[in-house]
Amino acid sequence: MTGKRMKPVAVLLVLMLALAGCSPEQAGQPAGAASAGGEGQPKGGGELTFAVASSPSGLDPNVYPGAADYRVMRSLYDSLVAQMPDKSFKPWLATEWTVSPDGKSYTFKLRKDVKFHDGTPFNAAAVKFNFDRIVDPNTKSRFAVTLIGPYESSEVIDDYTVQVNLKSPYSAFLSSLSQAFLGIVSPAAVQKYGEQVDKNPVGTGPFKFVNWTENASIALERNPDYQWGPPLASHAGPAYVDKLTFKIIPEEATRIGSVQSGQVLAAETVPPQNIVSLKNDPNLALLEAESTGIPFTLMLNQDHAPWNELKARRAVQLAIDVDTIVKTLYLGTYKRAWSPLTPSVLGYNPALENSYKPDLAKANALLDELGWTKGADGIRVKDGKPLALYYVTSTPNREKRNDIAAMIQQQLKAVGIAVNIDVTTGSNAQTIVMDKGTNDIYGVSNVSGDPDILRSFFHTNAIPKPGKWGHNHTHLSDPKLDGWLEQGLREQDPAKRSEIYKQLQSYVVENAIGIPVYIFPYTVAASKNVKGLKFDTLGYPLFYDASVQK
């Protein structure tokens, strides 16, 4: 089965973009194409400076899992396949592929003209090296190991043919392969740098790594040999700009001020209060793409009483006024989330929209039934212990998540729940949540193009433990959830898959396992001199087609 012949499989995942109805720029279409009509072929050269809100943790896609990592990685690493806006898959580093009748083996034919930035050849052995490395416990992969699913082995058939064997059918495999987290790293670079390859990244992408100044900037330069651009691209050959520099500017007013003053040419994550003024700025363009996957969702840790009781979780759910939070903090620029999946993902359950509303009387009644009585200070007490919820959030105040915590603190106080907020560093938050698990509530989001991402957040195997990375922050081990997640992993029929995930989403919301809050619209303010900046289907920026007009 070739890339084209994969269409019957690819349609398992076909969905319309949630961006339908947006302007071309909003829809992730080439911004430059929308604003540079009649200006002809972009001229090469120059430097594109792009301000990001946070520093990547590392640039080894086999290991590091963050959105901040991905935004840089995508320019350094290519993938075997590309996911298109209609959710179909097209060849990229793989020219074609076949799938065994039992759905457990994928055989990829690879391009023969690709080299890593260090001059070593991209081939079947490199693919096998990467995949074997991801599942090696010594690699300590945090997310790629989840994306690669039931991987069993890879076999080098010849220099440019590799067969990947899975332990069981995996419907999300191509979607996972299209992500930069399964981008192909130079084996020679891994052998040369060891764990330090995260600070010395070597891929096959349109840009090569130059240097990383901690907490200040990451510099890339054009790969002059690049001839294997993704099918989403508008041109062939090397990238247009000579240099691509990511400036790390956490403070949002400074970041946006930098693009307004011309110190950088583009900046990500525009604060809601600046969106209207930027839309009216004749020197800037506002670009927007909705991030797909898991919206920002609050997870209640069920290792701790009383949050292991449904009535207590429901009380929290009913006492939080999500609409007010989203409208107050994001001024109508963010959508409220109702499900642990965003609407553009296969299987999204629209029936959950408006399925419940804040109800303080009911929340109070549920806590009364559990024996928690209000003390003189309004906080409930049971057996001499106050009803308190330990809420961990980290700096910087990404997407106003610390402000969400503050608003929830006030809202839950109204029903007698004390919220103790711990605003800490990202690394310390990870220690508390991942290693110690002492938190009661924690908010997360994740970008993905397939509903299998839910497996990373709700399956028993994803519960974090000391020394084991995991995103099941609910710590819930539920055979019903595990069963649906494993069914969804194997199911090949799109309609059946969709129904599985709809049931799962309903179960999560009805049992107050997770409380969805907002859907993140990834926004970029860019100088009108920047052309061709676009987004991939996950909502991440693509710089390959970008150019800078003098």
Side-chain angles (χ1 to χ4, degrees):
M1 190 180 296
T2 67
K4 280 188 173 180
R5 292 170 59 199
M6 280 298 293
K7 211 168 181 179
V9 176
V11 294
L12 302 179
L13 304 174
V14 169
L15 281 174
M16 293 298 292
L17 281 175
L19 302 168
C22 297
S23 70
E25 291 183 347
Q26 289 173 319
Q29 297 301 311
S35 58
E39 294 176 356
Q41 185 76 1
K43 292 181 180 178
E47 178 181 13
L48 174 55
T49 47
F50 187 89
V52 292
S54 56
S55 177
S57 301
L59 297 176
D60 180 349
N62 292 173
V63 177
Y64 290 91
D69 310 322
Y70 197 111
R71 287 175 189 130
V72 180
M73 286 177 186
R74 185 71 288 176
S75 292
L76 294 166
Y77 302 102
D78 295 324
S79 298
L80 292 185
V81 302
Q83 188 166 27
M84 304 303 288
D86 67 357
K87 306 296 184 186
S88 65
F89 298 95
K90 287 193 173 182
W92 192 351
L93 292 182
T95 58
E96 58 182 89
W97 56 90
T98 60
V99 185
S100 63
D102 64 2
K104 294 167 62 177
S105 291
Y106 286 68
T107 302
F108 296 93
K109 294 282 188 183
L110 307 177
R111 290 185 67 121
K112 299 178 180 178
D113 59 344
V114 179
K115 288 189 181 299
F116 290 103
H117 302 151
D118 57 9
T120 57
F122 162 79
N123 51 28
V127 175
K128 174 178 169 55
F129 176 90
N130 273 254
F131 292 172
D132 287 350
R133 177 175 182 250
I134 288 169
V135 298
D136 183 344
N138 293 323
T139 304
K140 299 177 183 175
S141 175
R142 299 177 186 176
F143 187 53
V145 70
T146 301
L147 283 179
I148 207 167
Y151 176 83
E152 184 170 67
S153 64
S154 292
E155 298 174 40
V156 176
I157 306 300
D158 61 39
D159 284 353
Y160 297 101
T161 307
V162 61
Q163 178 177 305
V164 180
N165 302 309
L166 305 172
K167 296 171 185 171
S168 58
Y170 179 26
S171 295
F173 189 44
L174 292 178
S175 176
S176 295
L177 287 179
S178 71
Q179 294 197 35
F181 293 125
L182 293 187
I184 308 299
V185 182
S186 162
V190 173
Q191 288 158 2
K192 178 178 179 180
Y193 296 111
E195 291 186 359
Q196 293 301 308
V197 75
D198 67 325
K199 295 292 174 66
N200 299 276
V202 179
T204 64
F207 292 93
K208 300 194 292 186
F209 176 77
V210 177
N211 60 55
W212 183 342
T213 303
E214 205 67 38
N215 297 318
S217 65
I218 296 173
L220 312 184
E221 65 181 7
R222 175 169 54 185
N223 176 4
D225 301 321
Y226 195 71
Q227 297 293 334
W228 42 88
L232 283 166
S234 303
H235 81 288
Y240 289 126
V241 296
D242 290 335
K243 296 180 180 178
L244 172 60
T245 302
F246 295 91
K247 299 282 189 181
I248 300 162
I249 308 178
E251 208 284 315
E252 60 184 23
T254 304
R255 190 168 65 253
I256 300 308
S258 295
V259 73
Q260 289 174 312
S261 66
Q263 295 178 64
V264 298
L265 288 176
E268 69 172 10
T269 315
V270 178
Q273 66 272 20
N274 293 102
I275 285 181
V276 173
S277 62
L278 287 179
K279 282 182 177 176
N280 296 324
D281 190 324
N283 299 314
L284 298 176
L286 182 69
L287 316 179
E288 182 177 331
E290 187 174 292
S291 290
T292 67
I294 293 185
F296 181 70
T297 302
L298 299 168
M299 305 289 189
L300 281 161
N301 186 346
Q302 297 190 38
D303 270 353
H304 302 159
W307 315 118
N308 55 342
E309 296 187 77
L310 175 58
K311 288 182 179 178
R313 296 195 306 275
R314 281 285 288 163
V316 171
Q317 184 187 50
L318 292 168
I320 295 177
D321 187 343
V322 176
D323 275 337
T324 293
I325 291 172
V326 174
K327 288 175 183 173
T328 301
L329 295 181
Y330 307 116
L331 309 173
T333 61
Y334 285 25
K335 294 178 185 173
R336 188 235 164 109
W338 289 96
S339 157
L341 281 181
T342 62
S344 58
V345 179
L346 174 77
Y348 171 73
N349 190 347
L352 291 172
E353 295 175 6
N354 301 303
S355 59
Y356 69 94
K357 58 184 179 181
D359 189 334
L360 297 188
K362 190 170 182 180
N364 275 309
L366 289 169
L367 294 173
D368 289 343
E369 290 174 24
L370 290 173
W372 292 93
T373 57
K374 285 189 177 177
D377 59 356
I379 299 302
R380 291 176 180 271
V381 179
K382 184 177 178 182
D383 299 329
K385 179 183 176 184
L387 182 55
L389 192 149
Y390 178 34
Y391 191 136
V392 176
T393 184
S394 62
T395 55
N397 188 10
R398 176 184 171 188
E399 297 152 25
K400 301 186 183 297
R401 293 180 179 185
N402 298 349
D403 300 323
I404 290 176
M407 290 188 74
I408 287 176
Q409 184 180 50
Q410 292 303 312
Q411 292 176 351
L412 292 188
K413 187 178 180 182
V415 295
I417 300 174
V419 176
N420 301 318
I421 300 173
D422 186 354
V423 180
T424 185
T425 64
S427 59
N428 199 37
Q430 289 181 6
T431 299
I432 295 169
V433 174
M434 295 288 189
D435 295 334
K436 298 179 179 177
T438 51
N439 62 295
D440 292 316
I441 194 166
Y442 186 63
V444 291
S445 61
N446 194 275
V447 178
S448 177
D450 191 274
D452 180 57
I453 188 61
L454 291 167
R455 187 167 49 88
S456 298
F457 287 80
F458 296 106
H459 195 281
T460 299
N461 291 341
I463 296 174
K465 297 175 183 174
K468 178 181 177 293
W469 187 272
H471 283 300
N472 184 349
H473 303 297
T474 71
H475 290 237
L476 175 64
S477 177
D478 187 322
K480 188 173 283 188
L481 278 174
D482 287 353
W484 280 324
L485 291 164
E486 289 160 15
Q487 273 184 271
L489 184 73
R490 296 189 299 267
E491 181 57 60
Q492 300 291 304
D493 183 288
K496 291 179 180 176
R497 270 196 102 204
S498 183
E499 288 306 311
I500 292 166
Y501 289 114
K502 283 180 179 176
Q503 290 180 78
L504 191 155
Q505 292 162 73
S506 294
Y507 188 78
V508 167
V509 173
E510 289 167 3
N511 290 281
I513 297 168
I515 302 173
V517 182
Y518 67 82
I519 299 167
F520 177 57
Y522 185 71
T523 48
V524 172
S527 162
K528 287 286 180 68
N529 291 331
V530 176
K531 307 295 180 184
L533 180 61
K534 61 175 69 168
F535 302 100
D536 68 12
T537 54
L538 301 181
Y540 287 115
L542 293 172
F543 300 98
Y544 173 54
D545 283 331
S547 63
V548 179
Q549 289 191 340
K550 305 294 189 294

